[in-house]
Amino acid sequence: MDTCDLTNRSHLKGCASKPMQVLDESSEAFFNFINTLHSDSTRESYRFCLEKFLNHYGIDLLSFLKLPQPDISNLIIKYLVDKKVSRKYKNLITATLKHACEINDIL
């Protein structure tokens, strides 16, 4: 499996040639993320958005959460700027990533 150089963000996009297992459902971080959502539809939407974001950069949730806070912010901003989607979908992405970080005491 290819590894990404997380110290140089310019290499993150597309560093995984195929989707990787980015969500370890047995991890505490994922447990915190998914089980603090009360609606099944919200769980499904947030899981989808989180998985798309992590696959975009080819990193798993734990690696993402261990990045320095400025790097996390920069990755999120770059992702939102690069996505050519509706404002409503960008708000969903933002809420998803904010929840993942806040519930795991990152932001």
Side-chain angles (χ1 to χ4, degrees):
M1 172 168 45
D2 295 329
T3 57
C4 298
D5 177 5
L6 295 177
T7 59
N8 185 346
R9 287 182 302 280
S10 66
H11 297 294
L12 285 175
K13 184 175 182 180
C15 65
S17 58
K18 58 186 174 199
M20 60 182 275
Q21 181 65 31
V22 294
L23 296 177
D24 177 3
E25 294 182 11
S26 64
S27 74
E28 184 178 346
F30 182 77
F31 180 88
N32 293 344
F33 170 75
I34 207 72
N35 288 301
T36 52
L37 300 169
H38 302 293
S39 159
D40 288 340
S41 64
T42 302
R43 278 190 201 104
E44 187 177 318
S45 296
Y46 276 36
R47 180 189 175 103
F48 176 81
C49 288
L50 182 61
E51 209 161 13
K52 293 282 278 186
F53 173 81
L54 296 172
N55 274 317
H56 178 81
Y57 288 114
I59 58 175
D60 60 58
L61 179 58
L62 292 175
S63 298
F64 171 69
L65 294 173
K66 288 179 182 177
L67 291 172
Q69 195 276 329
D71 289 350
I72 289 174
S73 296
N74 288 334
L75 287 178
I76 293 170
I77 291 167
K78 178 159 180 34
Y79 185 74
L80 291 171
V81 169
D82 289 348
K83 292 303 269 182
K84 302 297 183 218
V85 295
S86 69
R87 180 174 295 162
K88 184 176 179 180
Y89 186 59
K90 285 184 180 185
N91 288 340
L92 176 61
I93 295 167
T94 302
T96 299
L97 298 173
K98 181 179 178 187
H99 177 71
C101 292
E102 285 180 344
I103 206 66
N104 286 291
D105 298 323
I106 302 303
L107 296 179

